[in-house]
Amino acid sequence: MSVKVLYSTEARATGGREGHAETTDGAFKVDLSTPKELGGAGGAGNNPEQLFAAGYAACFLGAMKAVAAKDGDKVPADASVTSQVGIGPRDEGGFGITVALAVSLPGVERKAAEALVEKAHHVCPYSNATRGNVDVKLSVV
């Protein structure tokens, strides 16, 4: 697979799931904490799954806008993507994640919305990165 990189960013984490992460340019900084469900204290920080969920939701919405624009359509201004990310042990050992994307496209006919979501799933970099490795469920709500 070949990728023509148009943008690159870099982040550094220290302390693991009970630490800190930030981009090396200082534009993004976050304290991290482990959820109680994973044996942590469930403190005020965020966890990698929350960051992944937010990134995937934003990226998927961007992919829908790109696909729609290419087809001469527009995504409604009040469209949204809710990404639910789960983490837990895999039968094969180690840990894995699951993703469910719930897409809201107010005013868009259901069949057209479902077609747009499916096209976006083939364009979105997060979808392409997880395809074949992560169980991703798509729904139009």
Side-chain angles (χ1 to χ4, degrees), residues 65-109:
K65 288 180 176 184
V67 167
K70 186 177 179 185
D71 291 345
D73 295 323
K74 285 185 93 174
V75 169
D78 56 350
S80 66
V81 176
T82 301
S83 174
Q84 181 181 43
V85 173
I87 183 172
R90 298 176 347 130
D91 292 340
E92 302 83 4
F95 285 81
I97 60 173
T98 61
V99 175
L101 300 178
V103 179
S104 173
L105 292 162
V108 178
E109 189 269 331

Side-chain angles (χ1 to χ4, degrees), residues 38-57:
L38 296 177
N46 295 101
N47 62 64
E49 293 72 36
Q50 291 171 318
L51 302 175
F52 185 75
Y56 203 156

Side-chain angles (χ1 to χ4, degrees), residues 1 3 51-68 70 81-83 85 99-101 103 115-134 136-138:
M1 174 184 73
V3 175
L51 302 175
F52 185 75
Y56 203 156
C59 191
F60 199 85
L61 186 52
M64 287 192 310
K65 288 180 176 184
V67 167
K70 186 177 179 185
V81 176
T82 301
S83 174
V85 173
V99 175
L101 300 178
V103 179
L116 177 60
V117 166
E118 192 57 41
K119 285 181 183 179
H121 190 48
H122 290 283
V123 171
C124 177
Y126 278 66
S127 292
N128 288 330
T130 59
R131 189 169 286 111
N133 299 310
V134 174
V136 178
K137 291 183 176 24
L138 303 171

